[in-house]
Amino acid sequence: MSSPAEFYNSLPPISKAYGTACLLFTTASQLGLYDVFYIALLYDYVFKNFQVWRLITNFFFLGKFSINFGIRLLMIARYGVQLEKGPFERRTADFLWMMIFGALSLLVLSAIPIFQAPFLGISLVFMLLYVWSREFPNAQINIYGLVTIKAFYLPWAMLALDVIFGSPLIPDLLGIIAGHLYYFLTVLHPLATGKVILKTPMWVRKLVARWRIGAPTPQPSSRSGAQPDRSTGVAFRGRSYRLNE
């Protein structure tokens, strides 16, 4: 069995960076090093006081140390890592763009009064879960040893459990909406029209290449009849997997 350090070093770059940032922000808050008020998404402070950092920092707080915080962190370590190591393998720029697109979508959604939330970290994690559930729809997931369901239904099952345990509904729901928006733009719409309208911007590819984040993206095949290059933004192929529990 590998040591914790070996496990941490084996994690793919984007999931590792995001999970680490969430852990550090929460730890610093628990130690009283800062007040979470100063990183919360409060649009009045963003636009009137030009505190633009709030548009980013709110994604790194998953709540105080608790069972729910541990579950969210494990969701990043499992579902985010499986996405980045599986469907997005050697496509670090595409995975990073998915996270950025999800964050931007959540910022827009949270501007709607009924969806207002001071922290969108849980929503971004739920978006990862939703995308994972569409990429691995037939994986068998055992929930707390009580029931086994297909991964396709996992986001809704987790949302229902959060409601039962008294957690807010809105953060989970926002993540599902953002995840489905990404799924629609990268899968459903291209399948229906043959047009890809959501592609990874060149600046994201240049950023990843400049900082040498992850493995370089392989060149698309020029063979006749080859599958379309997934770097164009289509992130799903309708595959299904079974994961060992």
Side-chain angles (χ1 to χ4, degrees):
M1 183 177 296
S2 61
S3 66
E6 291 174 335
F7 170 75
Y8 179 79
N9 291 331
S10 71
L11 297 176
I14 305 303
S15 298
K16 178 166 64 175
Y18 182 57
T20 301
C22 291
L23 179 60
L24 291 177
F25 268 70
T26 299
T27 301
S29 171
Q30 290 291 117
L31 294 175
L33 299 181
Y34 74 96
D35 189 333
V36 294
F37 170 81
Y38 295 106
I39 67 169
L41 178 62
L42 303 172
Y43 281 109
D44 285 343
Y45 287 87
V46 172
F47 295 113
K48 293 181 180 179
N49 298 341
F50 302 104
Q51 297 180 0
V52 293
W53 65 82
R54 294 176 180 271
L55 298 173
I56 299 174
T57 54
N58 79 91
F59 287 102
F60 299 130
F61 186 72
L62 300 179
K64 296 181 178 180
F65 283 142
S66 63
I67 293 178
N68 280 340
F69 169 77
I71 290 174
R72 303 310 179 204
L73 210 58
L74 287 174
M75 288 169 68
I76 298 173
R78 179 175 184 179
Y79 305 121
V81 168
Q82 287 182 357
L83 277 175
E84 198 170 350
K85 282 189 172 182
F88 287 89
E89 185 178 12
R90 301 183 67 83
R91 297 175 53 236
T92 302
D94 295 332
F95 188 82
L96 177 59
W97 171 240
M98 181 189 72
M99 295 285 288
I100 294 173
F101 175 82
L104 293 174
S105 300
L106 291 170
L107 289 174
V108 172
L109 288 170
S110 66
I112 302 173
I114 62 172
F115 288 148
Q116 286 182 351
F119 301 101
L120 296 174
I122 292 176
S123 301
L124 190 58
V125 173
F126 239 79
M127 182 215 173
L128 280 176
L129 172 64
Y130 186 91
V131 174
W132 178 88
S133 73
R134 269 41 191 177
E135 186 65 33
F136 301 88
N138 293 322
Q140 298 297 312
I141 302 298
N142 186 279
I143 301 180
Y144 302 136
L146 300 175
V147 62
T148 299
I149 63 172
K150 287 187 176 182
F152 186 86
Y153 305 106
L154 183 59
W156 300 105
M158 293 297 292
L159 182 147
L161 286 174
D162 280 348
V163 171
I164 292 173
F165 291 140
S167 298
L169 170 68
I170 294 300
D172 296 0
L173 187 60
L174 283 175
I176 290 176
I177 294 173
H180 186 73
L181 179 61
Y182 179 82
Y183 175 73
F184 173 81
L185 294 175
T186 58
V187 180
L188 299 182
H189 185 270
L191 286 176
T193 64
K195 299 179 180 179
V196 179
I197 59 176
L198 182 64
K199 298 181 181 180
T200 302
M202 185 56 64
W203 66 267
V204 176
R205 299 192 181 282
K206 290 181 177 179
L207 179 67
V208 169
R210 179 180 179 84
W211 292 96
R212 299 180 181 178
I213 304 172
T217 303
Q219 295 298 319
S221 173
S222 59
R223 293 179 300 172
S224 175
Q227 292 294 326
D229 179 18
R230 294 183 64 192
S231 65
T232 58
V234 179
F236 305 82
R237 292 179 177 176
R239 297 175 297 171
S240 62
Y241 302 79
R242 182 179 297 274
L243 304 182
N244 293 323
E245 290 298 321

